[in-house]
Amino acid sequence: MAKRVRDAHLESRTSREKLKARGKPYYKAIGAGLHVGYRKGKNAGVWVARVYTGDQNYLVQKIGVADDVRDADGAAILDFWQAQAAARAFAASVETPPTEAPLTVADVVAAYVATRDARDTKRRGRVVRSDASRRLHRYVLGQGKRGTLEAVPAAPLASIAMASLTDEHLSAWRAGLPSSLKETTKQRLINDLKAALHSERKRMPPALLVGSGLKSDVDADDSADVARENQILSDSQVVQLLVAARQADDELGWDGDLYRLVLVVNATGARFSQIARMRVRDAQLKEGRLMVPSSRKGKGKSGSIAVPVEPAVIDALRPIVTGRAPDAPLLERWQYRQPSGGIKWERAGRGPWQTSSDVAQAWKAIRERAGMPTVIMYSLRHSSIVRGIRANLPIRLVAALHDTSVAMIERHYGRWIVDGLEDMARKAVVSLVPLQDDTKVVALRRADQ
């Protein structure tokens, strides 16, 4: 039995409703040289099958009406799963058996985007586009007009076959990125493309060095160091931000949710995505520590990191921990909805924080009250790492507490490591020069006398 292929944008009528009507079908690969496609119209869409017949040629055939309006009957009206079966049946009837089409960069990137979108959709409980999807569509795959954004054609890189991909292709794409993009944005985009390409590493030429072809003309390490230097906060600045967070929480009616979030981010130095996954059981009040889930970066990572925190943080969390289920999200916030036909938004229950965008507007209010208009929330993580370095903690411990690598710490926070080592070396200086006063001068003999 053929394996069913999932696609968050096509497998339900609810998700298909959000797609824009267009002449070109939305395709999903379901086998070697075989795609099932959905062409959206004004009413019910239709399913099509696309079979690769060799020499860059495809055979496209309508296979049924989508169950957008009426329920599927398995014959004329098909759901996504039935459409897959119909596409395979059509492919089997084609005289020229389907051969595997050349896999292009666009195919690989589109598959990676679908995986990232499906993951984020599962996390949030509704169909969403991932950040990687937005970046890769705009700068690799191309996209239609979206709101005030003009349509963007696919990059020339997208049509390159994976088997023919070279460092020169990647370098040309990198050089063609808009100069207005911030270096950090470019690096995120490059990381997305690297991840997509490495998902099909076996399809690339063995000698291809993806990292070499995508290396920035500007030293990424230098740009990262400058960004972090501008965002390293003193202890007094951190206190200033926490005071502003408490004020914003009170004034904006967050009921303590906003302040507790900022407090935990500062106390642990963890990423927002890690904080959002913390559970009630992760607040170990008696031990005075928080168990921070490992990030999803890297392969095979799991478990939690034990981070000691000050008693004031434990006291702030105690009210939301007491009497709650261990598996409940530790930090929650009010969710809002707008009633049908209504104007005002109303509270619709409490739920966990999901993405950093949930706090974007509130963070602007915090930094305005703190008088720090350019500070970013991630600066709390940078500052936490530097505090550990300045406290002369072993670099390996600083890296472990912040769920990163020693190499990353040394690369991006090298200046503060050097300062910390100098402080340690200064403490090891032993005074060996003999004391002297105005009446008695101690003369030291030369070594050759």
Side-chain angles (χ1 to χ4, degrees):
M1 181 178 180
K3 181 180 178 181
R4 299 203 308 178
V5 179
R6 305 205 61 172
D7 188 294
H9 298 290
L10 299 179
E11 62 187 54
S12 73
R13 64 175 63 170
T14 302
S15 58
R16 293 195 298 268
E17 285 177 359
K18 300 178 182 180
L19 298 176
K20 290 186 177 181
R22 67 183 193 186
K24 181 180 178 181
Y26 293 87
Y27 282 112
K28 178 66 178 180
I30 61 172
L34 177 60
H35 295 75
V36 64
Y38 171 74
R39 182 183 289 115
K40 185 170 182 177
K42 294 183 179 180
N43 298 310
V46 298
W47 298 110
V48 299
R50 184 175 72 173
V51 179
Y52 183 70
T53 57
D55 195 24
Q56 303 296 318
N57 294 316
Y58 288 89
L59 183 62
V60 180
Q61 174 68 41
K62 175 182 174 181
I63 53 178
V65 177
D67 60 333
D68 295 338
V69 179
R70 292 185 293 169
D71 292 337
D73 58 16
I77 303 175
L78 310 176
D79 61 23
F80 181 57
W81 317 113
Q82 293 166 344
Q84 290 188 39
R88 291 190 174 95
F90 171 70
S93 69
V94 177
E95 291 185 4
T96 303
T99 57
E100 186 172 359
L103 193 70
T104 65
V105 171
D107 294 329
V108 172
V109 171
Y112 175 77
V113 164
T115 300
R116 288 288 300 271
D117 286 351
R119 188 184 75 182
D120 286 9
T121 293
K122 182 178 179 180
R123 288 181 188 171
R124 304 200 66 171
R126 58 185 175 86
V127 177
V128 296
R129 292 180 71 203
S130 64
D131 290 340
S133 174
R134 294 184 177 90
R135 289 189 287 263
L136 291 172
H137 271 98
R138 185 156 187 81
Y139 297 108
V140 179
L141 298 175
Q143 63 183 24
K145 181 178 174 60
R146 301 179 63 86
T148 59
L149 297 176
E150 295 298 325
V152 179
L157 178 68
S159 62
I160 304 298
M162 288 290 287
S164 304
L165 189 62
T166 66
D167 288 335
E168 287 71 25
H169 291 135
L170 297 175
S171 297
W173 172 83
R174 170 68 180 81
L177 292 176
S179 58
S180 58
L181 278 182
K182 293 181 179 179
E183 194 63 33
T184 51
T185 303
K186 288 182 182 179
Q187 196 57 53
R188 291 190 186 98
L189 174 60
I190 287 171
N191 290 343
D192 290 334
L193 180 58
K194 281 183 182 179
L197 295 178
H198 278 290
S199 69
E200 290 289 347
R201 186 68 182 88
K202 60 186 178 183
R203 305 290 189 114
M204 293 189 289
L208 177 64
L209 299 175
V210 173
S212 175
L214 292 178
K215 186 176 181 179
S216 171
D217 296 331
V218 178
D219 192 327
D221 290 349
D222 289 345
S223 88
D225 281 339
V226 172
R228 284 166 173 77
E229 182 175 358
N230 292 339
Q231 293 294 337
I232 304 303
L233 307 177
S234 65
D235 291 349
S236 61
Q237 288 176 314
V238 171
V239 171
Q240 196 173 335
L241 272 176
L242 292 177
V243 170
R246 180 180 287 165
Q247 293 173 347
D249 188 296
D250 292 339
E251 294 171 15
L252 300 178
W254 283 82
D255 293 345
D257 295 332
L258 177 62
Y259 175 65
R260 282 188 288 267
L261 173 69
V262 178
L263 194 66
V264 172
V265 169
N266 177 66
T268 62
R271 305 172 184 86
F272 184 94
S273 59
Q274 294 173 269
I275 300 295
R277 291 189 285 121
M278 292 179 68
R279 301 293 167 180
V280 168
R281 62 171 175 268
D282 293 325
Q284 298 183 352
L285 306 187
K286 293 182 179 179
E287 293 80 3
R289 67 189 179 196
L290 298 178
M291 304 299 292
V292 181
S294 297
S295 73
R296 291 188 172 95
K297 293 186 176 184
K299 294 182 179 180
K301 294 180 63 176
S302 61
S304 300
I305 303 125
V307 181
V309 297
E310 61 178 300
V313 176
I314 296 298
D315 292 340
L317 296 177
R318 196 180 305 278
I320 64 168
V321 170
T322 305
R324 296 181 64 213
D327 288 337
L330 175 62
L331 299 177
E332 293 185 319
R333 69 183 186 93
W334 285 105
Q335 311 285 339
Y336 290 82
R337 67 179 179 86
Q338 191 174 31
S340 179
I343 299 178
K344 288 187 175 182
W345 290 75
E346 60 182 29
R347 287 181 172 179
R350 293 176 62 74
W353 297 85
Q354 295 176 325
T355 69
S356 57
S357 61
D358 292 342
V359 75
Q361 291 300 317
W363 183 256
K364 291 181 181 178
I366 290 172
R367 64 189 188 185
E368 287 174 3
R369 285 163 176 77
M372 302 164 68
T374 61
V375 72
I376 59 176
M377 194 171 186
Y378 212 77
S379 65
L380 295 175
R381 174 173 170 81
H382 296 322
S383 303
S384 176
I385 291 174
V386 172
R387 274 200 305 275
I389 294 172
R390 285 173 171 167
N392 294 327
L393 295 179
I395 301 304
R396 186 174 296 279
L397 176 58
V398 176
L401 288 172
H402 294 87
D403 195 20
T404 189
S405 67
V406 171
M408 289 297 290
I409 294 285
E410 291 176 340
R411 182 180 307 155
H412 297 303
Y413 301 91
R415 169 188 166 182
W416 292 277
I417 293 175
V418 172
D419 290 346
L421 291 176
E422 182 180 349
D423 292 340
M424 292 176 68
R426 192 173 299 281
K427 292 178 181 179
V429 172
V430 178
S431 178
L432 299 175
V433 178
L435 297 176
Q436 61 183 18
D437 56 31
D438 293 337
T439 60
K440 295 181 179 180
V441 177
V442 179
L444 299 178
R445 286 188 176 185
R446 286 172 23 194
D448 58 352
Q449 289 182 343

